[in-house]
Each structure stands twice: as C-alpha cells, then as structure tokens.
Amino acid sequence: EEPAALPRDLEGRRVVVSAGGTAEPLDPVRTLGNRSSGRQGYALARVAAQRGAHVTLVAGSTADLAPPAAVDLVRVRTTEEMRTAVLDAGKGAEVVVMAAAVADFRPLDVAGFKIKKTDAEPEAIRLTRNPDILRELVAEQVPGRLVVGFAAETGDAEHDVLSFGRAKLARKGCDLLVVNAVGAGGDGRHSAFEGSDNEGWLLGADGSSTPLPMGSKAALAARVWDAVGARLS
Ligand code: CTP
Ligand code: CA
C-alpha cells in the first residue's frame, strides 16, 4: 500500500529507531524476553529511509523479518546492549524513536552454568530493574532532538487507554508518545503485538492528541513521521 509519491521531508535527517524485544540472560542457554515482533519498528525505519532519512535501526529479538533496505542495522540482545547502541547512535541524531519492547526487569543473578533440574523445588528468580532508555534520552536534553516513545496499553476498570497514555507521556517527558490500544482479552493478540495492524493515538507534549486509525504498521509509521516532520526545525 505504498503511496504513489512518498514525501522526502526527512531528506538527510539522522534518525534512530529501536525495534523488537530485549531479552535478559538467566543462564547460558535461557533468557527472559517478550513477544515483540519488531514489525512496527521495522516499518518506522523503512518508511523513514524511504522519505530520505539516514536511519540507524537498533533491533532486539524480532520475528524473522527482512531488514529494511538502506538502513544501518545494529543487532542487540540485552537491555544494556540496546541502551548503549541507542544512546551512542542517538548522539548525532535529530530524532530517536523507541519502538522497542524493553524488558522492565532482568534476573539479578546470571548463572555461569546451565541451571540443572533436581528433585527439589526450583529457586525463585530474583529480578532487578533495568535502566529506562527513553527516560535517559529525555534526560540528555539534546537541543532540537525529538524523542518519541511508544506505549501499548489496555484500560482498566477506572482508566481508559488515553488517560494511561497521557500519564505515561508526562512521566516519560518525551516529545511524542504513540499509544497503541491493545485489544480486548489483554493477551495482545488483537492489535499491537504480533499482528500486522495497529490503532491508537499520537500524543504530543504540547497537549495535542491525534487519533491513529486502525491500519497497517506502515500506515501508522507514516503518521508518526508526518508528526515528527512537522516538529523538526
Ligand atoms: N522503555 C525504555 N526502557 C525501558 C522500558 C521502556 O526505553 N526500560 C521505552 C519503550 O521503548 C517505550 C516506552 O518506554 O517507548 C514505554 O514503554 P512501557 O513499557 O509502556 O513503559 P514503562 O514505563 O515500562 O511502563 P509499564 O509499567 O506500563 O510497562
Ligand atoms: Ca514496560
């Protein structure tokens, strides 16, 4: 569903996109990770490159995706690796988009050898917090650089998706937050995760909120870059 003529509004702009999930080692053969496919981040990277940007795509675990043409692909596994790659590439960038599903926690102890099964009950896995890459990017306060976050939300009994999105935008301090409405059932199968379609809102730190209609991840990516392009100086 490529539009006939893509805008070249990102010509020469340097952008960083993170995609996919981070995975945290538990022992040499096991990790704690998530089901992010990386499709939204890949679509963002592909569309930005098509619109003329120099793109660094920092990719964690993904489905078996073909890397977009004409992007610099940096493969990472852990949150710490993603943090280093994103902060590094982000130094010279005018836009950083955190589309990755970053693991909030990692095992406190990583076993040097494969954990063996015995007749005893297994030990509980103790977790510790991971750094928040998005908040670190915001805290760097690079003049003129835009930082875009993503959030997949369901509502709960008292809050709708949009109010969770607003609260997250305020907490993170980024310039734009793409809020994906995760489908009913809460297992993420309906939209946002694994599927090919997305819907939600694009919230701006300036108080703006633009609905993102259900559509392909490429269409959502185009909307995001429209909003970013309009804010670039
Ligand atoms: N993010 C990040 N580093 C983390 C966690 C999240 O950079 N350690 C980024 C994600 O890439 C995304 C945004 O922060 O762009 C929001 O992620 P989300 O998981 O929705 O936010 P959290 O603050 O982790 O809140 P929650 O408790 O809802 O998971
Ligand atoms: Ca999280």
PDB file of all heavy atoms in Angstrom, residues 169-201:
ATOM      1  N   LEU A 169       3.036   9.728  29.059  1.00  0.00           N
ATOM      2  CA  LEU A 169       3.745  10.806  28.363  1.00  0.00           C
ATOM      3  C   LEU A 169       4.336  11.788  29.376  1.00  0.00           C
ATOM      4  O   LEU A 169       5.496  12.193  29.275  1.00  0.00           O
ATOM      5  CB  LEU A 169       2.794  11.540  27.407  1.00  0.00           C
ATOM      6  CG  LEU A 169       3.369  12.769  26.697  1.00  0.00           C
ATOM      7  CD1 LEU A 169       4.468  12.377  25.725  1.00  0.00           C
ATOM      8  CD2 LEU A 169       2.268  13.519  25.958  1.00  0.00           C
ATOM      9  N   ALA A 170       3.548  12.144  30.370  1.00  0.00           N
ATOM     10  CA  ALA A 170       4.016  13.084  31.390  1.00  0.00           C
ATOM     11  C   ALA A 170       5.176  12.479  32.181  1.00  0.00           C
ATOM     12  O   ALA A 170       6.170  13.149  32.469  1.00  0.00           O
ATOM     13  CB  ALA A 170       2.859  13.448  32.320  1.00  0.00           C
ATOM     14  N   ARG A 171       5.056  11.193  32.505  1.00  0.00           N
ATOM     15  CA  ARG A 171       6.092  10.529  33.305  1.00  0.00           C
ATOM     16  C   ARG A 171       7.404  10.403  32.534  1.00  0.00           C
ATOM     17  O   ARG A 171       8.480  10.588  33.079  1.00  0.00           O
ATOM     18  CB  ARG A 171       5.577   9.145  33.707  1.00  0.00           C
ATOM     19  CG  ARG A 171       6.310   8.518  34.853  1.00  0.00           C
ATOM     20  CD  ARG A 171       5.528   7.328  35.427  1.00  0.00           C
ATOM     21  NE  ARG A 171       5.432   6.210  34.519  1.00  0.00           N
ATOM     22  CZ  ARG A 171       4.294   5.717  34.051  1.00  0.00           C
ATOM     23  NH1 ARG A 171       3.131   6.254  34.400  1.00  0.00           N
ATOM     24  NH2 ARG A 171       4.294   4.682  33.230  1.00  0.00           N
ATOM     25  N   LYS A 172       7.286  10.111  31.242  1.00  0.00           N
ATOM     26  CA  LYS A 172       8.482   9.882  30.419  1.00  0.00           C
ATOM     27  C   LYS A 172       9.112  11.189  29.954  1.00  0.00           C
ATOM     28  O   LYS A 172      10.315  11.253  29.713  1.00  0.00           O
ATOM     29  CB  LYS A 172       8.133   9.025  29.204  1.00  0.00           C
ATOM     30  CG  LYS A 172       7.604   7.638  29.539  1.00  0.00           C
ATOM     31  CD  LYS A 172       8.727   6.686  29.873  1.00  0.00           C
ATOM     32  CE  LYS A 172       8.202   5.265  30.011  1.00  0.00           C
ATOM     33  NZ  LYS A 172       9.301   4.320  30.243  1.00  0.00           N
ATOM     34  N   GLY A 173       8.290  12.202  29.743  1.00  0.00           N
ATOM     35  CA  GLY A 173       8.818  13.503  29.324  1.00  0.00           C
ATOM     36  C   GLY A 173       9.245  13.575  27.875  1.00  0.00           C
ATOM     37  O   GLY A 173       9.963  14.495  27.484  1.00  0.00           O
ATOM     38  N   CYS A 174       8.808  12.623  27.048  1.00  0.00           N
ATOM     39  CA  CYS A 174       9.204  12.647  25.628  1.00  0.00           C
ATOM     40  C   CYS A 174       8.332  13.641  24.858  1.00  0.00           C
ATOM     41  O   CYS A 174       7.358  14.177  25.386  1.00  0.00           O
ATOM     42  CB  CYS A 174       9.153  11.247  25.019  1.00  0.00           C
ATOM     43  SG  CYS A 174       7.638  10.344  25.324  1.00  0.00           S
ATOM     44  N   ASP A 175       8.722  13.893  23.606  1.00  0.00           N
ATOM     45  CA  ASP A 175       8.010  14.886  22.802  1.00  0.00           C
ATOM     46  C   ASP A 175       6.720  14.323  22.223  1.00  0.00           C
ATOM     47  O   ASP A 175       5.729  15.036  22.102  1.00  0.00           O
ATOM     48  CB  ASP A 175       8.921  15.372  21.669  1.00  0.00           C
ATOM     49  CG  ASP A 175      10.186  16.001  22.215  1.00  0.00           C
ATOM     50  OD1 ASP A 175      10.083  17.109  22.764  1.00  0.00           O
ATOM     51  OD2 ASP A 175      11.263  15.367  22.143  1.00  0.00           O
ATOM     52  N   LEU A 176       6.762  13.059  21.849  1.00  0.00           N
ATOM     53  CA  LEU A 176       5.581  12.394  21.282  1.00  0.00           C
ATOM     54  C   LEU A 176       5.474  11.006  21.890  1.00  0.00           C
ATOM     55  O   LEU A 176       6.492  10.350  22.138  1.00  0.00           O
ATOM     56  CB  LEU A 176       5.723  12.241  19.757  1.00  0.00           C
ATOM     57  CG  LEU A 176       5.555  13.490  18.882  1.00  0.00           C
ATOM     58  CD1 LEU A 176       6.082  13.204  17.478  1.00  0.00           C
ATOM     59  CD2 LEU A 176       4.090  13.909  18.820  1.00  0.00           C
ATOM     60  N   LEU A 177       4.249  10.565  22.097  1.00  0.00           N
ATOM     61  CA  LEU A 177       4.033   9.193  22.556  1.00  0.00           C
ATOM     62  C   LEU A 177       2.977   8.554  21.660  1.00  0.00           C
ATOM     63  O   LEU A 177       1.874   9.083  21.518  1.00  0.00           O
ATOM     64  CB  LEU A 177       3.566   9.159  24.014  1.00  0.00           C
ATOM     65  CG  LEU A 177       3.444   7.755  24.624  1.00  0.00           C
ATOM     66  CD1 LEU A 177       4.827   7.142  24.901  1.00  0.00           C
ATOM     67  CD2 LEU A 177       2.631   7.785  25.925  1.00  0.00           C
ATOM     68  N   VAL A 178       3.334   7.442  21.062  1.00  0.00           N
ATOM     69  CA  VAL A 178       2.394   6.680  20.253  1.00  0.00           C
ATOM     70  C   VAL A 178       1.726   5.665  21.169  1.00  0.00           C
ATOM     71  O   VAL A 178       2.402   4.803  21.729  1.00  0.00           O
ATOM     72  CB  VAL A 178       3.103   5.943  19.105  1.00  0.00           C
ATOM     73  CG1 VAL A 178       2.093   5.206  18.233  1.00  0.00           C
ATOM     74  CG2 VAL A 178       3.946   6.905  18.283  1.00  0.00           C
ATOM     75  N   VAL A 179       0.444   5.808  21.355  1.00  0.00           N
ATOM     76  CA  VAL A 179      -0.267   4.917  22.262  1.00  0.00           C
ATOM     77  C   VAL A 179      -1.050   3.894  21.444  1.00  0.00           C
ATOM     78  O   VAL A 179      -1.934   4.256  20.664  1.00  0.00           O
ATOM     79  CB  VAL A 179      -1.237   5.707  23.167  1.00  0.00           C
ATOM     80  CG1 VAL A 179      -1.935   4.761  24.134  1.00  0.00           C
ATOM     81  CG2 VAL A 179      -0.496   6.793  23.924  1.00  0.00           C
ATOM     82  N   ASN A 180      -0.683   2.652  21.589  1.00  0.00           N
ATOM     83  CA  ASN A 180      -1.404   1.575  20.914  1.00  0.00           C
ATOM     84  C   ASN A 180      -2.448   1.010  21.855  1.00  0.00           C
ATOM     85  O   ASN A 180      -2.137   0.665  22.992  1.00  0.00           O
ATOM     86  CB  ASN A 180      -0.448   0.438  20.520  1.00  0.00           C
ATOM     87  CG  ASN A 180       0.380   0.786  19.315  1.00  0.00           C
ATOM     88  OD1 ASN A 180      -0.142   1.320  18.335  1.00  0.00           O
ATOM     89  ND2 ASN A 180       1.658   0.515  19.390  1.00  0.00           N
ATOM     90  N   ALA A 181      -3.661   0.901  21.363  1.00  0.00           N
ATOM     91  CA  ALA A 181      -4.711   0.253  22.138  1.00  0.00           C
ATOM     92  C   ALA A 181      -4.570  -1.250  21.949  1.00  0.00           C
ATOM     93  O   ALA A 181      -4.666  -1.755  20.837  1.00  0.00           O
ATOM     94  CB  ALA A 181      -6.072   0.731  21.661  1.00  0.00           C
ATOM     95  N   VAL A 182      -4.284  -1.950  23.037  1.00  0.00           N
ATOM     96  CA  VAL A 182      -4.150  -3.405  22.964  1.00  0.00           C
ATOM     97  C   VAL A 182      -5.542  -3.998  23.052  1.00  0.00           C
ATOM     98  O   VAL A 182      -6.335  -3.620  23.906  1.00  0.00           O
ATOM     99  CB  VAL A 182      -3.262  -3.938  24.107  1.00  0.00           C
ATOM    100  CG1 VAL A 182      -3.187  -5.457  24.053  1.00  0.00           C
ATOM    101  CG2 VAL A 182      -1.870  -3.342  24.007  1.00  0.00           C
ATOM    102  N   GLY A 183      -5.837  -4.910  22.166  1.00  0.00           N
ATOM    103  CA  GLY A 183      -7.186  -5.443  22.047  1.00  0.00           C
ATOM    104  C   GLY A 183      -7.692  -6.149  23.280  1.00  0.00           C
ATOM    105  O   GLY A 183      -6.918  -6.567  24.144  1.00  0.00           O
ATOM    106  N   ALA A 184      -9.017  -6.269  23.336  1.00  0.00           N
ATOM    107  CA  ALA A 184      -9.672  -6.942  24.460  1.00  0.00           C
ATOM    108  C   ALA A 184      -9.119  -8.343  24.622  1.00  0.00           C
ATOM    109  O   ALA A 184      -8.717  -8.989  23.665  1.00  0.00           O
ATOM    110  CB  ALA A 184     -11.176  -6.999  24.227  1.00  0.00           C
ATOM    111  N   GLY A 185      -9.101  -8.792  25.866  1.00  0.00           N
ATOM    112  CA  GLY A 185      -8.503 -10.093  26.150  1.00  0.00           C
ATOM    113  C   GLY A 185      -7.143  -9.886  26.784  1.00  0.00           C
ATOM    114  O   GLY A 185      -6.710 -10.680  27.590  1.00  0.00           O
ATOM    115  N   GLY A 186      -6.530  -8.760  26.409  1.00  0.00           N
ATOM    116  CA  GLY A 186      -5.314  -8.360  27.106  1.00  0.00           C
ATOM    117  C   GLY A 186      -4.108  -9.213  26.788  1.00  0.00           C
ATOM    118  O   GLY A 186      -3.029  -8.950  27.288  1.00  0.00           O
ATOM    119  N   ASP A 187      -4.243 -10.197  25.927  1.00  0.00           N
ATOM    120  CA  ASP A 187      -3.067 -11.004  25.626  1.00  0.00           C
ATOM    121  C   ASP A 187      -2.298 -10.417  24.449  1.00  0.00           C
ATOM    122  O   ASP A 187      -1.304 -10.982  24.015  1.00  0.00           O
ATOM    123  CB  ASP A 187      -3.442 -12.462  25.354  1.00  0.00           C
ATOM    124  CG  ASP A 187      -4.260 -12.619  24.078  1.00  0.00           C
ATOM    125  OD1 ASP A 187      -4.610 -11.598  23.470  1.00  0.00           O
ATOM    126  OD2 ASP A 187      -4.540 -13.752  23.707  1.00  0.00           O
ATOM    127  N   GLY A 188      -2.780  -9.276  23.954  1.00  0.00           N
ATOM    128  CA  GLY A 188      -2.016  -8.593  22.934  1.00  0.00           C
ATOM    129  C   GLY A 188      -2.156  -9.189  21.548  1.00  0.00           C
ATOM    130  O   GLY A 188      -1.485  -8.778  20.622  1.00  0.00           O
ATOM    131  N   ARG A 189      -3.027 -10.129  21.377  1.00  0.00           N
ATOM    132  CA  ARG A 189      -3.115 -10.762  20.070  1.00  0.00           C
ATOM    133  C   ARG A 189      -3.915  -9.934  19.072  1.00  0.00           C
ATOM    134  O   ARG A 189      -3.749 -10.067  17.865  1.00  0.00           O
ATOM    135  CB  ARG A 189      -3.764 -12.150  20.187  1.00  0.00           C
ATOM    136  CG  ARG A 189      -2.774 -13.138  20.713  1.00  0.00           C
ATOM    137  CD  ARG A 189      -3.321 -14.542  20.755  1.00  0.00           C
ATOM    138  NE  ARG A 189      -2.268 -15.409  21.245  1.00  0.00           N
ATOM    139  CZ  ARG A 189      -1.332 -15.925  20.462  1.00  0.00           C
ATOM    140  NH1 ARG A 189      -1.325 -15.684  19.183  1.00  0.00           N
ATOM    141  NH2 ARG A 189      -0.392 -16.678  20.980  1.00  0.00           N
ATOM    142  N   HIS A 190      -4.806  -9.092  19.587  1.00  0.00           N
ATOM    143  CA  HIS A 190      -5.732  -8.414  18.692  1.00  0.00           C
ATOM    144  C   HIS A 190      -5.056  -7.313  17.884  1.00  0.00           C
ATOM    145  O   HIS A 190      -5.201  -7.246  16.674  1.00  0.00           O
ATOM    146  CB  HIS A 190      -6.893  -7.844  19.508  1.00  0.00           C
ATOM    147  CG  HIS A 190      -7.924  -7.196  18.648  1.00  0.00           C
ATOM    148  ND1 HIS A 190      -8.728  -7.921  17.802  1.00  0.00           N
ATOM    149  CD2 HIS A 190      -8.253  -5.901  18.479  1.00  0.00           C
ATOM    150  CE1 HIS A 190      -9.531  -7.089  17.169  1.00  0.00           C
ATOM    151  NE2 HIS A 190      -9.260  -5.861  17.554  1.00  0.00           N
ATOM    152  N   SER A 191      -4.341  -6.436  18.572  1.00  0.00           N
ATOM    153  CA  SER A 191      -3.552  -5.450  17.842  1.00  0.00           C
ATOM    154  C   SER A 191      -2.283  -5.208  18.633  1.00  0.00           C
ATOM    155  O   SER A 191      -2.111  -5.735  19.718  1.00  0.00           O
ATOM    156  CB  SER A 191      -4.326  -4.151  17.633  1.00  0.00           C
ATOM    157  OG  SER A 191      -4.400  -3.419  18.822  1.00  0.00           O
ATOM    158  N   ALA A 192      -1.405  -4.423  18.072  1.00  0.00           N
ATOM    159  CA  ALA A 192      -0.143  -4.033  18.706  1.00  0.00           C
ATOM    160  C   ALA A 192       0.906  -5.141  18.722  1.00  0.00           C
ATOM    161  O   ALA A 192       2.002  -4.954  18.241  1.00  0.00           O
ATOM    162  CB  ALA A 192      -0.334  -3.470  20.110  1.00  0.00           C
ATOM    163  N   PHE A 193       0.600  -6.296  19.259  1.00  0.00           N
ATOM    164  CA  PHE A 193       1.598  -7.364  19.289  1.00  0.00           C
ATOM    165  C   PHE A 193       1.286  -8.398  18.216  1.00  0.00           C
ATOM    166  O   PHE A 193       0.148  -8.789  18.035  1.00  0.00           O
ATOM    167  CB  PHE A 193       1.634  -8.048  20.656  1.00  0.00           C
ATOM    168  CG  PHE A 193       2.339  -7.232  21.694  1.00  0.00           C
ATOM    169  CD1 PHE A 193       1.645  -6.292  22.421  1.00  0.00           C
ATOM    170  CD2 PHE A 193       3.693  -7.384  21.909  1.00  0.00           C
ATOM    171  CE1 PHE A 193       2.293  -5.527  23.367  1.00  0.00           C
ATOM    172  CE2 PHE A 193       4.343  -6.623  22.851  1.00  0.00           C
ATOM    173  CZ  PHE A 193       3.647  -5.686  23.583  1.00  0.00           C
ATOM    174  N   GLU A 194       2.327  -8.836  17.555  1.00  0.00           N
ATOM    175  CA  GLU A 194       2.268  -9.982  16.654  1.00  0.00           C
ATOM    176  C   GLU A 194       1.462  -9.751  15.383  1.00  0.00           C
ATOM    177  O   GLU A 194       1.829 -10.206  14.323  1.00  0.00           O
ATOM    178  CB  GLU A 194       1.750 -11.238  17.372  1.00  0.00           C
ATOM    179  CG  GLU A 194       2.730 -11.693  18.445  1.00  0.00           C
ATOM    180  CD  GLU A 194       2.291 -12.943  19.184  1.00  0.00           C
ATOM    181  OE1 GLU A 194       1.120 -13.319  19.072  1.00  0.00           O
ATOM    182  OE2 GLU A 194       3.131 -13.525  19.878  1.00  0.00           O
ATOM    183  N   GLY A 195       0.358  -9.054  15.481  1.00  0.00           N
ATOM    184  CA  GLY A 195      -0.476  -8.850  14.301  1.00  0.00           C
ATOM    185  C   GLY A 195       0.150  -7.854  13.351  1.00  0.00           C
ATOM    186  O   GLY A 195       1.224  -7.326  13.604  1.00  0.00           O
ATOM    187  N   SER A 196      -0.519  -7.583  12.254  1.00  0.00           N
ATOM    188  CA  SER A 196       0.033  -6.644  11.287  1.00  0.00           C
ATOM    189  C   SER A 196      -0.664  -5.285  11.370  1.00  0.00           C
ATOM    190  O   SER A 196      -0.260  -4.354  10.693  1.00  0.00           O
ATOM    191  CB  SER A 196      -0.070  -7.212   9.881  1.00  0.00           C
ATOM    192  OG  SER A 196      -1.411  -7.532   9.605  1.00  0.00           O
ATOM    193  N   ASP A 197      -1.695  -5.154  12.185  1.00  0.00           N
ATOM    194  CA  ASP A 197      -2.415  -3.878  12.274  1.00  0.00           C
ATOM    195  C   ASP A 197      -2.277  -3.237  13.647  1.00  0.00           C
ATOM    196  O   ASP A 197      -2.012  -3.897  14.630  1.00  0.00           O
ATOM    197  CB  ASP A 197      -3.905  -4.088  11.987  1.00  0.00           C
ATOM    198  CG  ASP A 197      -4.141  -4.359  10.511  1.00  0.00           C
ATOM    199  OD1 ASP A 197      -3.224  -4.110   9.714  1.00  0.00           O
ATOM    200  OD2 ASP A 197      -5.229  -4.824  10.185  1.00  0.00           O
ATOM    201  N   ASN A 198      -2.469  -1.935  13.675  1.00  0.00           N
ATOM    202  CA  ASN A 198      -2.297  -1.138  14.890  1.00  0.00           C
ATOM    203  C   ASN A 198      -3.347  -0.045  14.926  1.00  0.00           C
ATOM    204  O   ASN A 198      -3.760   0.438  13.896  1.00  0.00           O
ATOM    205  CB  ASN A 198      -0.927  -0.440  14.843  1.00  0.00           C
ATOM    206  CG  ASN A 198       0.063  -1.122  15.757  1.00  0.00           C
ATOM    207  OD1 ASN A 198      -0.292  -2.066  16.438  1.00  0.00           O
ATOM    208  ND2 ASN A 198       1.274  -0.639  15.775  1.00  0.00           N
ATOM    209  N   GLU A 199      -3.752   0.388  16.094  1.00  0.00           N
ATOM    210  CA  GLU A 199      -4.571   1.592  16.203  1.00  0.00           C
ATOM    211  C   GLU A 199      -4.266   2.277  17.526  1.00  0.00           C
ATOM    212  O   GLU A 199      -3.764   1.636  18.456  1.00  0.00           O
ATOM    213  CB  GLU A 199      -6.066   1.279  16.112  1.00  0.00           C
ATOM    214  CG  GLU A 199      -6.576   0.458  17.262  1.00  0.00           C
ATOM    215  CD  GLU A 199      -8.063   0.194  17.157  1.00  0.00           C
ATOM    216  OE1 GLU A 199      -8.792   1.054  16.642  1.00  0.00           O
ATOM    217  OE2 GLU A 199      -8.490  -0.881  17.599  1.00  0.00           O
ATOM    218  N   GLY A 200      -4.553   3.555  17.587  1.00  0.00           N
ATOM    219  CA  GLY A 200      -4.280   4.257  18.839  1.00  0.00           C
ATOM    220  C   GLY A 200      -4.301   5.750  18.683  1.00  0.00           C
ATOM    221  O   GLY A 200      -5.070   6.289  17.884  1.00  0.00           O
ATOM    222  N   TRP A 201      -3.433   6.416  19.461  1.00  0.00           N
ATOM    223  CA  TRP A 201      -3.350   7.874  19.446  1.00  0.00           C
ATOM    224  C   TRP A 201      -1.903   8.306  19.413  1.00  0.00           C
ATOM    225  O   TRP A 201      -1.027   7.610  19.930  1.00  0.00           O
ATOM    226  CB  TRP A 201      -3.984   8.474  20.704  1.00  0.00           C
ATOM    227  CG  TRP A 201      -5.455   8.381  20.738  1.00  0.00           C
ATOM    228  CD1 TRP A 201      -6.366   9.299  20.284  1.00  0.00           C
ATOM    229  CD2 TRP A 201      -6.214   7.295  21.266  1.00  0.00           C
ATOM    230  NE1 TRP A 201      -7.632   8.840  20.490  1.00  0.00           N
ATOM    231  CE2 TRP A 201      -7.578   7.614  21.087  1.00  0.00           C
ATOM    232  CE3 TRP A 201      -5.885   6.072  21.850  1.00  0.00           C
ATOM    233  CZ2 TRP A 201      -8.605   6.762  21.485  1.00  0.00           C
ATOM    234  CZ3 TRP A 201      -6.889   5.221  22.238  1.00  0.00           C
ATOM    235  CH2 TRP A 201      -8.238   5.581  22.059  1.00  0.00           C
TER     236      TRP A 201
END
